[in-house]
Amino acid sequence: MMRDFKRNILVTGGAGFIGSHVVRLLVKKYPDYRIVNLDKLTYAGNPANLTDIAKAENYVFERGDICDFDLVKRIMLQYGVDGIIHLAAESHVDRSITDPFVFARTNIMGTLSLLEAAKQTWISSKGGFDGKRFYHISTDEVYGALEMNIPGDKAPYGTEFFTETTRYNPHSPYSASKASSDHFVRAYHDTYGLPTVISNCSNNYGPNQFPEKLIPLFISNICKGQNLPVYGRGENVRDWLYVEDHANAIDLIFHEGRVGQTYNIGGCNEWKNIDLIKTLIATTDRLLGRKKGYSDKLISYVTDRAGHDLRYAIDATKLSVELGWKPSVTFEEGLERTVRWYLDNQSWIDNILSGEYRKFCSED
């Protein structure tokens, strides 16, 4: 006999980097919730990210594509889904430049598939939309780029920040696809009354991040004495958010955020890429027992990425004032935890770099 749960939450992309941290948090924090993880297991999805909760009584894994409308609707009906936390997305900017069609399909059409399945399922359910919620996780990249301060200004990088009312101005196929998905979510709220909420977050870092991203890639290269390629002169500025802080913000917004609203999530933690890389080198070398500056020679400068935005910076005041959220981990502490995790989990990285993990994943 199937157990009754207080809530049945569908998390999409729950085997990925951010998604796995969200799934783990929800499974452990809410034993009276059933957490259904829908993940296609493309190259960035890894079942090893969730081995510690894989056999939990309140956890279910469904392998599938969010673009498969019939599958999504079947899952919603089978498990009585009353909440969706939508993280599944293609997210690597470089990949979007070489293959934008994949990003449009997953990020736009996949989101539309989920929205329509939620609308059809919930509108005909007992109570209709009451007690339901569709939460869409997006990115700060939809806002475009911010100006940098000129030398001598008081603020280190700039006085402008992205707010929830900043005009959309995406510059890459990735950010354009996420902007489009955001618009669809808002349209479903305005047109059909679907109870939606959106958050736009800054760059995440932490354990389990796929090693095509800057921090895990450079940790791996530092360990192996390999080249550290820096776009342009490394002057681009990003706001960095520890992934567990992001997961806690998602939990809070899902439960307490106002329907129809958008919340920006940021780390209040801006770094120039080159300064971040030098700090990462120093931390990794120290934990490896190397002398200071040992791996500085690995830095090289390469042609800048097409459409590379200069600066992103999040104003998370709304989230702080309305819901009381703030980052709990300093960047120095988060970076230390992150480097230690990668050094202590070399087998996880090796399985990815060798392709061994893909025996559990799709072939596309």
Side-chain angles (χ1 to χ4, degrees), residues 17-33:
F17 169 44
I18 300 171
S20 62
H21 286 273
V22 172
V23 166
R24 181 178 297 104
L25 171 65
L26 297 177
V27 167
K28 292 183 175 182
K29 185 174 180 179
Y30 302 103
D32 54 348
Y33 286 16

Side-chain angles (χ1 to χ4, degrees), residues 8-10 36 75-77 79-84 121-122 132:
N8 295 282
I9 311 300
L10 173 63
V36 182
I75 289 172
M76 294 193 65
L77 290 170
Y79 297 107
V81 170
D82 53 41
I84 295 173
T121 303
W122 291 343
K132 312 297 195 304

Side-chain angles (χ1 to χ4, degrees), residues 15-17 39 41-46 49 208 210 212 357-358 361:
F17 169 44
D39 198 299
L41 295 184
T42 56
Y43 78 95
N46 188 348
N49 291 345
N208 298 110
F210 194 81
E212 68 183 354
Y357 81 109
R358 285 189 57 80
C361 303

Side-chain angles (χ1 to χ4, degrees), residues 281-301:
I281 289 172
T283 303
T284 306
D285 278 347
R286 172 171 54 80
L287 293 177
L288 288 172
R290 296 171 177 171
K291 65 180 181 180
K292 186 177 180 180
Y294 178 83
S295 299
D296 288 348
K297 61 182 179 293
L298 301 176
I299 294 175
S300 66
Y301 296 94

Side-chain angles (χ1 to χ4, degrees), residues 25 185 198 233 353:
L25 171 65
V185 174
I198 297 173
R233 300 302 301 173
L353 297 178

Side-chain angles (χ1 to χ4, degrees), residues 18-291:
I18 300 171
S20 62
H21 286 273
V22 172
V23 166
R24 181 178 297 104
L25 171 65
L26 297 177
V27 167
K28 292 183 175 182
K29 185 174 180 179
Y30 302 103
D32 54 348
Y33 286 16
R34 175 166 49 203
I35 308 303
V36 182
N37 175 11
L38 172 60
D39 198 299
K40 189 180 178 182
L41 295 184
T42 56
Y43 78 95
N46 188 348
N49 291 345
L50 293 165
T51 52
D52 57 324
I53 56 95
K55 295 183 179 180
E57 183 182 2
N58 63 331
Y59 174 70
V60 177
F61 176 73
E62 289 274 357
R63 181 174 178 176
D65 188 345
I66 59 172
C67 294
D68 186 340
F69 176 77
D70 292 335
L71 171 66
V72 173
K73 195 167 182 181
R74 188 269 295 170
I75 289 172
M76 294 193 65
L77 290 170
Q78 178 178 341
Y79 297 107
V81 170
D82 53 41
I84 295 173
I85 300 177
H86 174 35
L87 291 125
E90 296 286 347
S91 65
H92 193 50
V93 175
D94 287 348
R95 288 177 182 262
S96 80
I97 292 171
T98 58
D99 194 354
F101 285 102
V102 171
F103 282 69
R105 179 182 182 275
T106 299
N107 297 352
I108 302 173
M109 296 307 296
T111 300
L112 182 57
S113 171
L114 289 162
L115 287 164
E116 184 62 21
K119 185 198 76 173
Q120 291 186 18
T121 303
W122 291 343
I123 205 167
S124 60
S125 66
K126 184 178 180 180
F129 289 153
D130 289 347
K132 312 297 195 304
R133 175 153 298 196
F134 188 106
Y135 179 7
H136 174 64
I137 284 79
S138 189
T139 173
D140 59 359
E141 296 194 36
V142 299
Y143 298 125
L146 293 168
E147 295 293 329
M148 292 278 285
N149 267 0
I150 60 174
D153 282 351
K154 291 182 179 180
Y157 301 116
T159 55
E160 288 186 298
F161 296 85
F162 296 137
T163 72
E164 290 79 4
T165 59
T166 298
R167 182 177 66 89
Y168 275 31
N169 188 26
H171 292 152
S172 71
Y174 162 61
S175 56
S177 68
K178 291 298 289 185
S180 179
S181 66
D182 292 4
H183 291 323
F184 267 108
V185 174
R186 293 191 178 98
Y188 264 69
H189 173 263
D190 295 346
T191 303
Y192 305 109
L194 193 72
T196 64
V197 66
I198 297 173
S199 63
N200 298 80
C201 72
S202 56
N203 281 28
N204 279 219
Y205 71 100
N208 298 110
Q209 189 171 27
F210 194 81
E212 68 183 354
K213 300 289 189 173
L214 188 151
I215 288 178
L217 173 64
F218 278 31
I219 293 171
S220 178
N221 285 7
I222 292 166
C223 291
K224 298 174 181 177
Q226 295 178 348
N227 186 43
L228 304 177
V230 180
Y231 282 128
R233 300 302 301 173
E235 295 294 311
N236 304 74
V237 173
R238 297 294 181 263
D239 177 23
W240 291 90
L241 174 66
Y242 190 60
V243 66
E244 291 181 7
D245 277 336
H246 189 194
N248 286 326
I250 289 171
D251 174 33
L252 186 63
I253 293 169
F254 178 78
H255 286 94
E256 300 183 25
R258 289 184 290 142
V259 169
Q261 294 295 304
T262 297
Y263 296 90
N264 280 350
I265 310 173
C268 304
N269 178 45
E270 291 182 71
W271 283 75
K272 280 187 179 181
N273 284 349
I274 190 61
D275 294 335
L276 167 67
I277 290 164
K278 289 179 178 178
T279 302
L280 185 61
I281 289 172
T283 303
T284 306
D285 278 347
R286 172 171 54 80
L287 293 177
L288 288 172
R290 296 171 177 171
K291 65 180 181 180

Side-chain angles (χ1 to χ4, degrees), residues 307-318:
H308 198 182
D309 292 331
L310 184 58
R311 174 176 172 252
Y312 302 147
I314 284 281
D315 181 347
T317 300
K318 179 178 178 179

